[in-house]
């Protein structure tokens, strides 16, 4: 496997670096002109069935944060995002005071009463998947669709519902922070292909086609409960030097414990979140963010097993460009 960067790369990556990497690793048309699943096409029924061998003890570990008003947007949400707002529209007080007549249940004389609630939230305010329609670069999203594909009523192509029965298979944790012997990587640390390969070697695991890869920086453990600038400031994350590894391993999806997956400040001063352009737009790679990998990392370090059965289907909101999720690692 080659991990060389394009020959035209300058000392400081720029928009041309993004364009060249996008051309080199593009999956446009690979699975047809109308494809909306991108790298999830790598996950075949045979790969999913084989992934069941990763279940050895039956341990179940959630990789999702609780969805509440104390969530990761508390330190200053990006782009107007805010933490979920939970409201009751039928509660115990209504029952105690007799102020609600449940006609649905047959009225006051049939004993049963009920409570109901609702959530108001940006779909990407907590642990979440980016849909392929989430990002555009040079006027296009994945597979060449234009901004016309996303209207005020949502995405007509590449919405998150396309993945509703696709995100299950072999998961692999690559614990870069533990590899480096630190609790968390420093903000601005750019993870390389060499880092990811060193994790494989140290952990005795090999990432292959159709795998769902979790990359731990440790930032979640550092910030959880005291979010500071988690959703708006500097962060460790994947850098340009990781792109060949991600593309050539033909993984199904990539998730991290940071707000935005890639290193901040970005390595390209003239392109914000350049790896989103390469991964989502060019490769059609599903990206997960704000995954809580702390419990999983501790368990993997204890038992030495860094692969597991992974199941994290999005909520199939029609035309949505992202979705909250409660990912599960089953060991």
């Amino acid at each position: 496997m080659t991990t060389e960067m394009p020959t035209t790369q300058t000392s400081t990556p720029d928009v041309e670096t993004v364009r060249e990497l996008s051309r080199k690793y593009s999956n446009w048309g690979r699975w047809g002109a109308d494809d909306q699943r991108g790298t999830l096409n790598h996950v075949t029924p045979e790969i999913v069935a084989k992934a069941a061998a990763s279940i050895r003890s039956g341990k179940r570990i959630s990789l999702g944060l609780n969805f509440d008003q104390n969530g990761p947007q508390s330190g200053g949400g990006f782009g107007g995002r805010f933490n979920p707002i939970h409201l009751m529209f039928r509660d115990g007080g209504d029952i105690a005071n007799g102020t609600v007549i449940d006609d649905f249940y047959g009225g006051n004389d049939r004993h049963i009463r009920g409570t109901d609630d609702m959530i108001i939230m940006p779909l990407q305010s907590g642990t979440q998947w980016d849909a392929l329609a989430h990002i555009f670069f040079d006027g296009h999203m994945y597979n060449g669709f234009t901004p016309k594909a996303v209207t005020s009523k949502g995405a007509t192509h590449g919405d998150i519902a396309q993945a509703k029965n696709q995100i299950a298979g072999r998961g692999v944790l690559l614990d870069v922070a533990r590899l480096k012997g630190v609790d968390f990587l420093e903000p601005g640390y750019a993870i390389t292909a060499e880092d990811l390969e060193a994790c494989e070697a140290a952990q005795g695991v090999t990432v292959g086609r159709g795998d769902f890869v979790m990359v731990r920086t440790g930032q979640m453990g550092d910030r959880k409960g005291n979010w500071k600038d988690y959703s708006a400031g500097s962060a460790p994350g994947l850098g340009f030097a990781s792109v060949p590894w991600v593309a050539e391993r033909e993984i199904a999806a990539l998730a991290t414990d940071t707000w935005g997956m890639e290193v901040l400040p970005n390595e390209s001063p003239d392109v914000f979140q350049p790896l989103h352009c390469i991964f989502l737009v060019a490769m059609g790679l599903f990206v997960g963010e704000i995954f809580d990998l702390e419990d999983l990392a501790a368990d993997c370090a204890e038992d030495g097993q860094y692969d597991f059965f992974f199941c994290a289907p999005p909520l199939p909101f029609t035309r949505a460009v992202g979705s909250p999720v409660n990912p599960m690692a089953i060991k």
Side-chain angles (χ1 to χ4, degrees):
M1 182 190 76
T2 177
T3 56
E4 295 181 358
M5 293 290 287
T7 56
T8 58
Q9 183 196 6
T10 62
S11 57
T12 300
D14 59 13
V15 66
E16 292 305 322
T17 310
V18 179
R19 287 173 178 148
E20 185 168 354
L21 286 167
S22 294
R23 285 191 295 268
K24 182 174 182 178
Y25 296 115
S26 173
N27 283 322
W28 290 14
R30 179 175 182 177
W31 297 288
D34 294 326
D35 178 59
Q36 301 179 63
R37 294 179 178 174
T39 54
L40 294 180
N41 284 288
H42 290 314
V43 189
T44 64
E46 294 76 17
I47 285 176
V48 176
K50 187 177 179 180
S54 298
I55 303 176
R56 300 164 196 169
S57 64
K59 287 184 286 190
R60 293 151 293 174
I61 303 171
S62 169
L63 314 182
L65 290 179
N66 289 343
F67 291 97
D68 57 39
Q69 288 184 280
N70 299 314
Q73 308 303 322
S74 301
F78 170 81
R81 293 176 185 169
F82 54 88
N83 288 319
I85 300 171
H86 179 217
L87 301 172
M88 302 299 301
F89 61 91
R90 294 194 305 164
D91 62 23
D94 297 318
I95 295 172
N97 295 329
T99 55
V100 175
I101 298 175
D102 289 4
D103 290 332
F104 178 80
Y105 298 120
N108 279 339
D109 58 348
R110 300 193 69 185
H111 302 288
I112 191 171
R113 298 292 183 269
T115 57
D116 275 301
D117 48 5
M118 69 174 75
I119 289 286
I120 303 169
M121 65 179 292
L123 296 184
Q124 292 165 293
S125 61
T127 306
Q128 57 96 18
W129 289 115
D130 287 342
L132 298 184
H134 176 51
I135 295 294
F136 286 77
F137 177 64
D138 279 347
H140 295 87
M141 59 173 274
Y142 170 68
N143 227 9
F145 294 109
T146 70
K148 292 181 179 179
V150 183
T151 73
S152 60
K153 294 186 180 296
T156 59
H157 294 277
D159 72 322
I160 200 65
Q162 302 298 321
K164 68 179 182 180
N165 59 355
Q166 300 296 309
I167 302 183
R170 181 177 182 251
V172 177
L173 173 68
L174 297 181
D175 192 343
V176 181
R178 193 174 300 273
L179 173 76
K180 301 292 186 180
V182 297
D183 292 332
F184 55 89
L185 302 176
E186 290 297 325
Y189 182 84
I191 295 170
T192 67
E194 287 75 17
D195 289 331
L196 301 176
E197 290 172 348
C199 273
E200 291 178 290
Q203 297 170 185
V205 67
T206 301
V207 172
R209 183 172 183 262
D211 283 346
F212 296 87
V213 178
M214 319 287 117
V215 177
R216 177 178 175 265
T217 72
Q219 190 189 45
M220 175 72 70
D222 178 45
R223 300 295 180 84
K224 188 161 52 176
N226 182 20
W227 294 107
K228 296 181 278 189
D229 58 353
Y230 175 84
S231 62
S234 298
L238 275 75
F240 277 106
S242 71
V243 171
W245 185 95
V246 172
E248 293 169 12
R249 293 303 178 100
E250 296 189 321
I251 63 176
L254 174 74
T256 73
D257 54 358
T258 67
W259 162 82
M261 182 270 295
E262 53 187 291
V263 63
L264 286 167
N266 298 134
E267 297 170 291
S268 52
D270 60 340
V271 182
F272 181 63
Q273 297 294 79
L275 267 60
H276 276 65
C277 302
I278 299 166
F279 289 166
L280 283 158
V281 178
M283 291 171 51
L285 177 74
F286 275 72
V287 171
E289 295 160 335
I290 318 180
F291 277 45
D292 185 352
L293 303 176
E294 294 304 293
D295 288 346
L296 176 63
D299 190 80
C300 290
E302 181 178 350
D303 67 12
Q305 180 188 342
Y306 282 84
D307 67 337
F308 41 87
F309 192 87
F310 178 74
C311 186
L315 300 180
F317 291 115
T318 304
R319 295 194 167 193
V321 299
S323 172
V325 66
N326 177 27
M328 293 291 295
I330 306 172
K331 300 176 72 177

